[in-house]
Amino acid sequence: MTTQILSLEGKIAVVIGGTSGIGYALSLGLADAGADVIASARRQEQLDKTASEIEARGRKTLRLASDVCDRASLEKLLAATLDKFGKVDLLINCAGIIKRTPTLTVSEEEWTNILNTNLTGTLRACQVFGKHMLERGYGRIINITSLNSFVALSEVAAYAASKSAVGSLTRSLAVEWSKKGVTVNAIAPGVFHTDMNAKLLDSTPRGHELLMRTPMGRFGKNEELVGAAIYLASDAASFVSGQTLVVDGGFLASGVNQ
């Protein structure tokens, strides 16, 4: 019974930003859990690689690029998915950008670009795919927020504002859509080691401080987010909506660690 309630067998999942970093790990993890997974992003080379790995797991997929800043590309992705699979059960919004800039000098262009991608991009995907889910009377949406939704990290104010707002958007959509069969939740990752941030985490004072603030004494591995995603996507979470599940090795519980 426990295994069955967590199964994603027969489910169709779309992962926006699903070909690198956290999104890539979630795409493969959902496929391992039984779902057919459409991992979409902007770069075709990464799309093809991820799609091949999904197919190697015996699951079906599509190789179609999308950009969260381009509503038409999301509508095209939905249409293609419906044409091949007939439905979308699960949407995970992983696309995002971050740039470190002192808040005093951050340009309006940079600020707007980060919010347009992280916040408005999430809204666009929720609107496009949510309409289909609401018409079906069933859907699971999982947004990706951040530790920055709860605490400030130096010189990433635009990112923090965008991710805090994604948490708020998640709650708002849950209030509006849950009674119609569509649950909306979020995952807030702690500090996870990736190819992009390896140098920062391993060899800078900022990385040392982040490690010191994490009670487990190590950074997360992307695959350690898969369980949270499977839970929120599964029947085990059928009465869970409007929540943010923090996966952070104890970071937010941390005060003095030594």
Side-chain angles (χ1 to χ4, degrees):
M1 179 63 178
T2 303
T3 302
Q4 188 176 12
I5 203 172
L6 288 169
S7 172
L8 301 184
E9 204 71 43
K11 302 296 186 184
I12 308 301
V14 173
V15 185
I16 307 292
T19 64
S20 62
I22 288 170
Y24 171 75
L26 294 182
S27 293
L28 299 187
L30 295 174
D32 287 335
D36 292 323
V37 182
I38 297 87
S40 187
R42 292 180 297 171
R43 297 175 178 84
Q44 193 65 44
E45 182 180 344
Q46 290 180 322
L47 276 171
D48 292 338
K49 177 180 180 295
T50 306
S52 294
E53 295 189 49
I54 291 168
E55 290 168 341
R57 286 163 163 76
R59 307 300 170 192
K60 297 176 183 176
T61 188
L62 287 174
R63 289 166 165 80
L64 190 62
S66 66
D67 183 346
V68 292
C69 295
D70 178 3
R71 183 180 294 269
S73 75
L74 297 173
E75 292 172 341
K76 182 179 178 182
L77 177 62
L78 172 63
T81 303
L82 295 181
D83 184 58
K84 180 168 182 177
F85 297 100
K87 63 173 183 172
V88 176
D89 298 296
L90 169 64
L91 171 70
I92 302 187
N93 286 306
C94 291
I97 56 174
I98 185 171
K99 185 177 180 184
R100 185 176 182 182
T101 306
T103 308
L104 182 64
T105 57
V106 66
S107 67
E108 289 192 16
E109 180 182 12
E110 180 180 312
W111 178 275
T112 300
N113 185 41
I114 291 173
L115 265 71
N116 186 38
T117 300
N118 297 355
L119 173 59
T120 311
T122 297
L123 172 65
R124 289 187 191 100
C126 286
Q127 287 177 327
V128 169
F129 287 86
K131 183 175 186 294
H132 161 71
M133 292 176 173
L134 291 167
E135 289 171 350
R136 282 187 68 213
Y138 178 88
R140 299 281 188 267
I141 295 175
I142 302 172
N143 298 321
I144 302 299
T145 60
S146 170
L147 288 180
N148 265 182
S149 301
F150 306 95
V151 296
L153 305 182
S154 179
E155 297 183 341
V156 286
Y159 180 79
S162 71
K163 289 299 187 178
S164 295
V166 168
S168 180
L169 174 64
T170 298
R171 292 187 291 274
S172 294
L173 293 180
V175 168
E176 294 184 39
W177 294 357
S178 294
K179 67 184 69 174
K180 300 172 185 176
V182 180
T183 66
V184 188
N185 292 289
I187 296 172
V191 187
F192 280 74
H193 206 283
T194 67
D195 291 340
M196 291 183 63
N197 67 13
K199 184 176 179 181
L200 181 147
L201 295 183
D202 295 339
S203 59
T204 69
R206 189 181 183 94
H208 177 72
E209 183 178 353
L210 290 169
L211 183 62
M212 185 174 63
R213 285 284 304 277
T214 303
M216 289 189 73
R218 64 175 178 84
F219 299 124
K221 303 171 185 176
N222 288 335
E223 56 267 25
E224 291 180 299
L225 292 164
V226 170
I230 291 173
Y231 166 65
L232 291 174
S234 73
D235 291 340
S238 58
F239 200 57
V240 178
S241 197
Q243 301 303 307
T244 297
L245 178 52
V246 180
V247 185
D248 70 347
F251 188 103
L252 291 181
S254 174
V256 176
N257 286 325
Q258 58 184 353

